[in-house]
Amino acid sequence: MKKALNGTVSWVGKIDWELTRFHGDEYSTHKGSSYNSYLVEEGKTVLIDTVWTPYAKEFVDNLEAEGLLDRLDAVIAQHAESDHSGAMPELMRRRPDLPVYCTANGVKSLKGHYHQGWDFHVVKTGDEYDLGNGKKLVFVEAPMLHWPDSMFSYMTGDAILFSNDAFGQHMATERLYNDLVDQDVLWAESIKYYANILTPFSSLVKAKIDQVLSLGLPVNMIATSHGVIWRDNPVQIVQKYLEWSQDYKEDRVTILYDTMWQGTRVMADALAKAIAEASPSTTVVSHCLSKFDKNDAITDVFRSKAVLVGSPTVGKGILTAVAAALEEIKGLRFKGKKAGAFGAYGWSGESVKVISDLLKASGFDVVDDGIKALWNPDDEAIAATAAYGKAFVAKLG
Ligand code: FEO
């Protein structure tokens, strides 16, 4: 299970090929994931992060089988979310003397999760752990990347940045490095991960990257806690994060909708066709939220300069698939995106206003009052919807 990155640093994590949902049931992982733990064997032998709880025993057994468990001098707990700290109780049960290095928030979070009084050593940005052999780990607090407790560790000499959640992807692969995997999958999973997890913290992402870059440190590898290690031009993912963190948008419009009796679906199709005709350079994508994956839809929202959201009116409100997606979108705090609403109705017709209000409350620039169609859209209603789509795209600049 131990895979060498170089002479003294190894991957000792767990590849989770069967993971289909992450963060409970919130995030789809079409490609599985991995929980990357690293072992540094210099003068000191140090473990950086562990793995998710179901694999705790397997993980610690593997360390023991390779004669590593008794040799450990310390564990660095960069982030207490259980996909990285889940093996800590098993590890500490078998090595209760092991010092645990983490941030002050890491202590709170680890105690909150596991209710144990381990030998915590609190570190702050700039603090160092002497590995021996003239090398050290330098710690960098990275709050909200992904939790308030998160931190990075930079290994001098080998110039490896252990970045925990930052720069990761949910992707299972036995191929450890970014240059060895399918590039389309790598980048699709990287942007999905950013869009669905890191978007709310974009201002902190940029500030943290600027801080790390200002140190002028060489970086040979970025060893994340999920997916591949960036060794081929590792700066490329840093540059992408800088781009994604600054109100990212492409020439793309995403339509999100659900439908009961096809009326709102007919409107969604008319909007997609009209936008494509009015602006051939614009990519239009349409997601029926009750049928397709919510996280993939959110990735398209992240990539878009505008969204159109549709639902029929149901009980003076909107369909639950649309409501659920809008609740998640609210939490992601997208910035700099325009929006409109649409929907079919039979009686009272509140859905378009409900959606518009939710989009406004979520930080979208709602450009107009949206469009409704009474009963099933007839030719006239379809033409009106298409005209609305053309007018909408003309407002996007
Ligand atoms: Fe991969 Fe925030 O845990």
Side-chain angles (χ1 to χ4, degrees):
M1 64 107 180
K2 185 175 156 189
K3 296 182 183 180
L5 274 60
N6 62 17
T8 60
V9 182
S10 306
W11 178 96
V12 290
K14 173 67 185 176
I15 298 166
D16 192 344
W17 292 96
E18 71 168 35
L19 190 78
T20 57
R21 310 295 301 182
F22 186 76
H23 279 159
D25 206 35
E26 287 295 291
Y27 185 112
S28 59
T29 49
H30 306 315
K31 300 291 180 185
S33 191
S34 67
Y35 318 109
N36 298 338
S37 168
Y38 299 98
L39 186 78
V40 181
E41 298 172 274
E42 294 286 351
K44 301 280 188 180
T45 301
V46 174
L47 188 67
I48 300 176
D49 295 322
T50 68
V51 300
W52 186 34
T53 317
Y55 303 108
K57 185 170 183 308
E58 172 184 330
F59 172 76
V60 182
D61 284 350
N62 284 341
L63 291 176
E64 187 164 42
E66 301 217 21
L68 299 167
L69 185 60
D70 290 341
R71 285 179 35 216
L72 289 177
D73 292 299
V75 56
I76 315 295
Q78 297 192 111
H79 176 27
E81 198 164 10
S82 58
D83 49 327
H84 309 295
S85 72
M88 286 292 290
E90 181 68 12
L91 177 70
M92 300 307 289
R93 187 180 69 76
R94 290 156 71 167
R95 279 292 313 274
D97 59 311
L98 203 58
V100 179
Y101 290 78
C102 61
T103 62
N105 279 330
V107 176
K108 285 185 200 168
S109 193
L110 286 166
K111 283 187 174 175
H113 276 85
Y114 305 115
H115 315 292
Q116 298 290 321
W118 296 326
D119 179 19
F120 291 111
H121 295 246
V122 172
V123 298
K124 301 186 297 298
T125 295
D127 286 353
E128 298 174 353
Y129 180 92
D130 188 351
L131 293 165
N133 300 337
K135 298 180 186 176
K136 55 195 179 186
L137 286 174
V138 182
F139 303 113
V140 179
E141 292 167 277
M144 304 318 296
L145 304 179
H146 151 235
W147 273 7
D149 63 350
S150 297
M151 68 172 182
F152 302 160
S153 306
Y154 176 79
M155 183 177 173
T156 63
D158 299 65
I160 300 174
L161 179 68
F162 298 96
S163 63
N164 195 260
D165 277 335
F167 312 120
Q169 332 82 43
H170 286 302
M171 179 177 172
T173 175
E174 284 287 348
R175 297 189 153 179
L176 210 52
Y177 300 104
N178 67 307
D179 51 304
L180 299 183
V181 297
D182 183 310
Q183 297 298 293
D184 289 344
V185 174
L186 172 63
W187 286 106
E189 292 301 328
S190 294
I191 196 169
K192 177 179 176 178
Y193 184 100
Y194 189 99
N196 283 271
I197 297 175
L198 292 171
T199 298
F201 314 122
S202 283
S203 61
L204 298 166
V205 170
K206 181 168 186 320
K208 186 52 58 182
I209 289 175
D210 287 345
Q211 181 195 18
V212 172
L213 290 178
S214 75
L215 301 175
L217 297 169
V219 176
N220 289 335
M221 290 187 206
I222 297 176
T224 76
S225 289
H226 297 291
V228 296
I229 296 162
W230 298 88
R231 71 170 178 188
D232 175 40
N233 185 19
V235 170
Q236 64 182 306
I237 187 64
V238 179
Q239 287 166 339
K240 274 293 173 195
Y241 265 46
L242 278 175
E243 203 181 321
W244 292 339
S245 67
Q246 296 176 74
D247 301 347
Y248 182 74
K249 49 177 150 325
E250 301 169 13
D251 186 3
R252 175 179 290 254
V253 174
T254 293
I255 300 169
L256 306 176
Y257 72 96
D258 196 12
T259 193
M260 286 182 82
W261 297 110
Q262 301 294 310
T264 300
R265 196 269 302 159
V266 166
M267 296 180 79
D269 291 354
L271 288 167
K273 184 164 177 280
I275 291 168
E277 285 172 3
S279 180
S281 65
T282 301
T283 299
V284 186
V285 287
S286 187
H287 294 263
C288 177
L289 291 165
S290 62
K291 294 185 173 60
F292 291 96
D293 185 85
K294 169 173 58 78
N295 303 107
D296 293 340
I298 284 172
T299 307
D300 268 323
V301 172
F302 175 74
R303 295 177 63 183
S304 293
K305 60 185 180 182
V307 297
L308 284 162
V309 182
S311 170
T313 297
V314 184
K316 297 191 175 181
I318 59 178
L319 289 174
T320 55
V322 179
L326 287 174
E327 175 63 17
E328 187 152 347
I329 285 169
K330 181 175 74 175
L332 290 169
R333 304 200 289 274
F334 290 110
K335 290 194 177 69
K337 297 188 190 296
K338 294 184 176 173
F342 64 98
Y345 70 106
W347 305 107
S348 51
E350 288 90 346
S351 69
V352 169
K353 182 165 187 328
V354 169
I355 291 168
S356 294
D357 289 347
L358 288 170
L359 286 166
K360 286 176 195 166
S362 302
F364 287 80
D365 174 13
V366 177
V367 298
D368 52 37
D369 293 334
I371 183 160
K372 300 179 192 180
L374 181 60
W375 305 115
N376 273 335
D378 57 11
D379 288 347
E380 188 179 338
I382 292 169
T385 303
Y388 171 83
K390 289 180 179 175
F392 179 81
V393 79
K395 294 173 187 169
L396 304 182

